[in-house]
Amino acid sequence: MSGAAIQSKVRAGLERVAQRAGTGDFTVLLIRQQDPDLTTTPPTKGAQVAYTFTGMQTRFSFAEQQAGNVQAGDVKFLLAVGTTEPRNSDKIKVNGVRYEIEAFEAVAPGGVPLMWKIHARGGVADNEAYAPGTPDPT
């Protein structure tokens, strides 16, 4: 089975889990600040764009909690592989709540990323609409 086929099965599995949990399709927006326009004086701040992922919220394991990096209110997400990879400077928006990414890790057995584990913090209400992001050039 190819990496793409496995990624598709992981995405479908995350969708099923979200539906069984009663949340329906669990759409996660990965919000990224674009680079500033340095041709203007002063430089113009870049737009914020959003990449759509399928995902689910889950709990931190006992070992993760004991490591001391998890604080009260922290949230863990599992995201299917999408059109771009997360970055530390990105934010996550779920159901109108925006979180800061504290850490992320690829679940990549055999070197093929199948999903992302995201450790997020600081949920605040966010009613802002974002322009859709385009995949990073490879």
Side-chain angles (χ1 to χ4, degrees):
M1 185 178 293
S2 72
I6 297 170
Q7 289 170 341
S8 177
K9 288 190 177 290
V10 168
R11 182 176 293 104
L14 289 172
E15 289 172 355
R16 276 194 308 276
V17 168
Q19 289 169 353
R20 288 183 181 159
T23 58
D25 288 337
F26 196 74
T27 301
V28 177
L29 295 180
L30 184 80
I31 302 164
R32 179 169 294 157
Q33 182 76 42
Q34 298 298 297
D35 293 332
D37 181 358
L38 301 177
T39 63
T40 62
T41 305
T44 306
K45 186 175 181 180
Q48 289 187 339
V49 297
Y51 299 90
T52 304
F53 287 78
T54 298
M56 62 175 275
Q57 184 174 339
T58 186
R59 296 181 180 184
F60 289 100
S61 69
F62 181 75
E64 289 169 327
Q65 292 175 12
Q66 295 304 309
N69 297 329
V70 179
Q71 297 179 6
D74 284 2
V75 181
K76 181 178 178 180
F77 296 101
L78 298 178
L79 305 182
V81 172
T83 58
T84 191
E85 294 183 2
R87 298 178 185 164
N88 283 331
S89 58
D90 293 340
K91 296 169 181 45
I92 294 228
K93 181 178 174 181
V94 179
N95 295 329
V97 179
R98 187 182 67 238
Y99 301 90
E100 303 285 331
I101 293 179
E102 287 297 308
F104 65 91
E105 175 184 358
V107 176
V112 176
L114 301 179
M115 71 174 124
W116 297 98
K117 292 193 304 186
I118 306 284
H119 176 170
R121 181 174 292 156
V124 295
D126 182 0
N127 296 321
E128 191 170 333
Y130 300 95
T134 54
D136 294 332
T138 55

